[in-house]
Amino acid sequence: MEKIAVISKDQELVPFLYCNLVEIFEKEGEQWRAVRTAPFSPITGNTIEKLRKETEAIMTLAEDAKAVLCRELSGIPFSVFNQKGYCIFCSEKADQDTLDGMIKDIEESDEKRRRKEEMIQNAGPVETQTPGIYFLDLVQLQTECPEVSSKKALLPFLSNTPFLELQIVCAHIPPWLETDDSYEKKVCNGNGNGKVHITITRKQC
């Protein structure tokens, strides 16, 4: 079961620097309940080093919680929690709906990350219903995964996959592909939508 650490001042959500209490909430059935509380002294550090050290001490009270909730969490404290992988939420209240909404947001974020990782892992042309003819919408792929370059998406395929024809939709012809003389390239500028459609075949000896 996911746990949420609510950081407050005597159970009232206030900015982090004024807080003095960490409550760990866990869902039992349909209700969230505080399963542990840990008071602490409000932060007094007036230097970056002291602020970071005090925040790290408070962070240990959150233990294995998936997320933290506070009225306001920014600057050095935000960085400390963020670097440890906590999901950070800010709200004016810590009621049942807020805690449920946090978990829902985390699950949706995790699912998006899984889909993106899968998309990156499988980035490349896919075979159409016609054997030997492959297709890749590079525009859509790079919209979803900007970190995937045209080389990363295409070079493994071109190097390892026998194909009769490769159809690509892109914003422009990748320069490395345009200068590669190993392939015949037929270019169509699409329907005025700014996309370029390229049909690639291997040059015949």
Side-chain angles (χ1 to χ4, degrees):
M1 172 60 67
E2 303 286 9
K3 296 178 181 177
I4 295 175
V6 177
I7 306 175
S8 67
K9 179 180 180 181
D10 301 324
Q11 298 184 324
E12 178 187 355
L13 290 190
V14 297
F16 179 78
L17 296 181
Y18 303 102
C19 291
N20 64 4
L21 181 69
V22 173
E23 294 177 281
I24 304 298
F25 281 80
E26 190 171 336
K27 198 165 189 180
E28 298 177 1
E30 295 299 316
Q31 296 293 315
W32 287 92
R33 302 188 187 280
V35 295
R36 190 178 65 80
T37 61
F40 61 88
S41 299
I43 282 179
T44 59
N46 54 8
T47 66
I48 292 177
E49 183 179 353
K50 290 180 179 179
L51 181 57
R52 181 179 298 276
K53 186 174 181 179
E54 290 186 70
T55 300
E56 289 172 347
I58 296 169
M59 184 178 64
T60 62
L61 303 177
E63 295 183 346
D64 59 345
K66 178 74 172 180
V68 296
L69 173 65
C70 190
R71 173 68 178 268
E72 179 186 306
L73 188 61
S74 59
I76 297 297
F78 179 94
S79 176
V80 169
F81 278 93
N82 186 55
Q83 287 174 0
K84 283 294 184 179
Y86 287 99
C87 298
I88 299 168
F89 293 84
C90 295
S91 176
E92 295 182 357
K93 53 187 178 180
D95 57 14
Q96 299 288 319
D97 289 341
T98 300
L99 300 182
D100 280 339
M102 289 171 61
I103 294 300
K104 183 178 179 182
D105 286 349
I106 291 170
E107 290 173 347
E108 289 177 352
S109 178
D110 287 345
E111 178 60 26
K112 286 180 181 178
R113 184 172 63 252
R114 283 194 293 268
R115 286 202 305 266
K116 185 171 183 177
E117 288 173 352
E118 183 178 352
M119 187 177 295
I120 292 174
Q121 185 177 355
N122 299 320
V126 296
E127 193 168 22
T128 65
Q129 293 182 342
T130 305
I133 297 182
Y134 290 76
F135 174 81
L136 175 65
D137 189 332
L138 191 59
V139 173
Q140 180 179 355
L141 173 63
Q142 291 183 324
T143 298
E144 295 284 342
C145 308
E147 62 270 44
V148 177
S149 67
S150 58
K151 282 188 176 182
K152 185 173 182 179
L154 292 170
L155 274 181
F157 171 85
L158 294 173
S159 301
N160 303 315
T161 307
F163 67 94
L164 298 175
E165 183 176 290
L166 171 59
Q167 301 170 354
I168 305 172
V169 176
C170 51
H172 58 82
I173 306 175
W176 64 268
L177 182 60
E178 188 173 15
T179 57
D180 191 328
D181 294 330
S182 305
Y183 307 98
E184 298 283 357
K185 297 172 282 285
K186 181 181 178 182
V187 180
C188 174
N189 288 324
N191 300 317
N193 56 7
K195 297 181 180 179
V196 176
H197 295 250
I198 309 171
T199 300
I200 297 174
T201 54
R202 295 189 186 277
K203 280 190 174 180
Q204 302 298 319
C205 296

